[in-house]
Amino acid sequence: MSGFRVDYLSEPELVFAGGNTAKDPRSGLLKYGPCPPRDGSIHEVVRVGLIGDSWSISAMRDLLEDMRYGILPEGDDRQRWNQPFPGLGPNSELKMSFDQRPMWRGEIEHDDIDSLSDVRDDADRVEMALDYIKYQIEGVCSTTPSPDVVIVSIPETLAELFTEGKKADTIRTADTDFRSRIKLLGMLNQTPTQLIGPKTLRGEDVQPRREVAWNLAVGLLYKARRGRPWKLTELKSNTCYAGISFYDERGTDPDTRASIAQVFMETGENFVIRGDPVTDIASDADTGRTHLSAGDAEQLIQTILERYGDRRQDRPDRLVIHKSSNFWEQETEGFKSGSEDVRQRDFITIREHHPIRLFSNTQYPPLRGTVALPPGREEYYLYTKGFIPEISAYAESGTPNPIVVRPHEDVNATSYREICEEILSFSKLDWNSSDFCKKLPVTVGIADAVSDILAEPMAQNLPDGAFPYHYYYYM
């Protein structure tokens, strides 16, 4: 370890209602409430649609009712990771409640589900099940007023039929993914969706019921109001952050690959960009990772900057690109030429695993925010998971390992400290969860979930005018 230096970065702060700040999402929500929506309303009434069979709808309504009154932790332990769910309603600290009207319920008949067992081909069976769900989503979303968000509560019989006891969101055939198709059905009806499996409703999930309630409340609030429950304080102004990844399109030509970009602004606003199919595929023989040609890279970055400019009425002063693979020479040249009018640029590779481990002289693992800087400093090792002083806990199992942060050797305008601080901040922007943080920043951490949706043939056939750019559709 000779020549290594170890640094520590302070925990980024989040902004809640009234401009008040806190470092823990839950503490901030409980003390100040979520950021108000753009209409300035103080209390959010979330109109909830429910799709499922009679049992799954009833079980979901029971969970929502429990959330209304609050859910206590098991035992006497009231530490942060075992906090009670506070309850909803006019006096709730979360400043939200649910509206569940019967006209927003779409019940799949048991006879329809039973008929699926007579279909021998798995692909045909999945398509038939999706048709049932599609019919109910369209019916619920066509009401006036329509729900803000639709919960698809997977019928237990359906889950058992397709997954043999596994989680319902793993239903997949060669040509389609069940969860992704439901997300797309919501998009086509301009309504975000939330999937819930029967194990979660039965309390057989790994998460306790209060944790399910916390995460569900935050996710539904974000999707319903089309806005952020909290935002960041640490990001530089007039900066465009883009996470770039690739996916294989499913369907008749499964070898076709395309690029996507998840774009974030310093305000926390975010959107998804679907790149063109990769016309000149370059593949790393060692890792199998896809890289863009110079032309494709230039086109993608120009689209990113144009969309950023549409929202900000200005070009950014700084561009930050996050990728999970190294930047190849052609890729780099394309990104540079497409952003040559941007004053500052940082191209950064972020990888999830590295064998290095740090050990403290206490019983606790390294602090979240610890950075190990090796000799030469071509890459840094950042602990986005670890002991968190703000909650006095390391709420994970096993020894944490750092992520790898590798700035491009030629396109790197910012200090390692600022780069790592931004990554720490982006590890706290998964609004589908109330967790203190995630291991990876959202710029790359949820790329697989977004890619799964865009890989569907249904998504590929969407014209640009109907393509859903808003992030809440994908969460």
Side-chain angles (χ1 to χ4, degrees):
M1 293 289 286
S2 176
F4 265 77
R5 174 184 159 191
V6 177
D7 203 351
Y8 174 71
L9 308 177
S10 59
E11 186 63 46
E13 291 195 322
L14 304 172
V15 179
F16 298 87
N20 293 292
T21 61
K23 295 180 178 179
D24 178 9
R26 289 191 191 175
S27 295
L29 290 172
L30 290 173
K31 190 171 183 180
Y32 307 115
C35 290
R38 291 180 179 177
D39 65 6
S41 59
I42 297 175
H43 186 84
E44 189 80 20
V45 178
V46 178
R47 302 193 301 261
V48 178
L50 291 176
I51 305 294
D53 67 356
S54 59
W55 177 84
S56 65
I57 289 176
S58 176
M60 189 66 231
R61 292 184 66 198
D62 287 345
L63 173 57
L64 295 177
E65 188 70 6
D66 287 349
M67 291 172 66
R68 177 185 170 194
Y69 290 104
I71 302 175
L72 296 174
E74 297 81 1
D76 298 324
D77 191 355
R78 297 295 179 91
Q79 292 170 307
R80 192 272 177 195
W81 60 90
N82 204 19
Q83 282 181 332
F85 180 74
L88 304 176
N91 299 317
S92 170
E93 296 94 332
L94 301 184
K95 296 180 170 56
M96 66 179 293
S97 56
F98 294 140
D99 183 0
Q100 308 172 58
R101 303 185 192 181
M103 68 176 180
W104 297 331
R105 294 177 202 147
E107 184 175 327
I108 304 171
E109 298 295 333
H110 285 291
D111 288 346
D112 289 335
I113 297 176
D114 290 341
S115 67
L116 293 173
S117 59
D118 297 329
V119 181
R120 294 187 178 183
D121 183 78
D122 285 343
D124 291 342
R125 191 185 299 168
V126 167
E127 289 299 323
M128 187 180 294
L130 286 167
D131 281 343
Y132 295 149
I133 294 172
K134 175 176 180 283
Y135 176 79
Q136 298 299 338
I137 288 178
E138 289 175 345
V140 164
C141 293
S142 66
T143 58
T144 303
S146 61
D148 297 314
V149 60
V150 170
I151 298 175
V152 179
S153 183
I154 305 296
E156 191 167 41
T157 307
L158 190 65
E160 292 174 351
L161 184 64
F162 286 119
T163 64
E164 298 180 352
K166 298 177 184 177
K167 287 187 177 180
D169 59 6
T170 60
I171 300 172
R172 187 188 293 261
T173 68
D175 295 328
T176 197
D177 175 82
F178 198 75
R179 175 188 179 276
S180 298
R181 287 283 293 278
I182 291 175
K183 290 291 178 183
L184 284 164
L185 291 173
M187 293 175 188
L188 290 172
N189 287 276
Q190 300 181 335
T191 307
T193 55
Q194 178 78 44
L195 274 70
I196 298 287
K199 280 191 173 183
T200 300
L201 295 176
R202 285 196 177 279
E204 298 171 1
D205 206 339
V206 293
Q207 286 188 329
R209 197 169 179 85
R210 69 178 184 284
E211 290 292 309
V212 173
W214 266 111
N215 294 333
L216 185 61
V218 169
L220 292 180
L221 182 63
Y222 170 58
K223 293 172 182 178
R225 65 166 42 176
R226 318 298 202 255
R228 307 167 302 284
W230 59 81
K231 53 187 178 181
L232 295 168
T233 64
E234 304 292 333
L235 299 181
K236 282 187 174 181
S237 62
N238 209 23
T239 298
C240 175
Y241 300 88
I244 294 176
S245 54
F246 305 92
Y247 62 92
D248 295 337
E249 294 183 346
R250 287 191 282 271
T252 56
D253 187 5
D255 293 328
T256 300
R257 294 183 179 180
S259 57
I260 59 169
Q262 301 171 80
V263 183
F264 292 78
M265 305 181 213
E266 75 276 3
T267 59
E269 295 176 83
N270 43 72
F271 52 94
V272 175
I273 290 177
R274 174 180 59 179
D276 295 326
V278 177
T279 58
D280 185 12
I281 295 175
S283 183
D284 188 327
D286 294 329
T287 65
R289 293 184 180 272
T290 300
H291 297 270
L292 290 169
S293 68
D296 286 329
E298 181 176 3
Q299 179 61 51
L300 179 61
I301 215 67
Q302 286 176 344
T303 303
I304 290 170
L305 295 174
E306 287 171 5
R307 297 280 166 76
Y308 178 95
D310 291 342
R311 285 161 171 76
R312 290 293 305 269
Q313 308 302 315
D314 195 10
R315 302 279 278 189
D317 293 328
R318 178 169 171 249
L319 170 67
V320 180
I321 299 178
H322 290 171
K323 276 173 84 263
S324 60
S325 59
N326 290 325
F327 290 79
W328 277 22
E329 184 176 352
Q330 286 190 44
E331 237 172 8
T332 301
E333 290 307 312
F335 290 144
K336 288 169 64 177
S337 61
S339 60
E340 58 187 1
D341 61 338
V342 179
R343 187 169 55 85
Q344 287 186 307
R345 294 172 293 190
D346 290 288
F347 297 173
I348 303 161
T349 297
I350 300 173
R351 296 198 304 273
E352 185 172 2
H353 298 292
H354 194 277
I356 192 173
R357 296 289 188 278
L358 298 181
F359 296 92
S360 69
N361 57 2
T362 71
Q363 60 178 322
Y364 301 109
L367 298 174
R368 168 177 151 85
T370 300
V371 188
L373 298 91
R377 299 193 182 181
E378 293 182 352
E379 61 185 26
Y380 320 123
Y381 311 118
L382 171 64
Y383 277 84
T384 53
K385 289 285 189 175
F387 186 81
I388 302 174
E390 287 75 17
I391 60 174
S392 301
Y394 171 59
E396 307 286 331
S397 59
T399 303
N401 64 299
I403 64 172
V404 180
V405 180
R406 176 183 280 268
H408 193 283
E409 57 183 1
D410 296 324
V411 192
N412 177 19
T414 307
S415 70
Y416 84 88
R417 190 176 187 89
E418 289 181 74
I419 287 171
C420 290
E421 285 173 344
E422 289 174 337
I423 291 171
L424 277 180
S425 294
F426 278 116
S427 72
K428 303 178 79 164
L429 280 192
D430 184 349
W431 294 299
N432 217 25
S433 166
S434 65
D435 291 347
F436 188 92
C437 63
K438 298 293 185 180
K439 183 172 183 179
L440 289 171
V442 289
T443 45
V444 297
I446 63 170
D448 287 345
V450 176
S451 295
D452 262 350
I453 295 170
L454 295 184
E456 288 290 328
M458 184 191 298
Q460 298 159 30
N461 295 328
L462 286 174
D464 283 342
F467 182 79
Y469 297 104
H470 297 294
Y471 208 55
Y472 43 74
Y473 284 116
Y474 298 86
M475 300 289 276

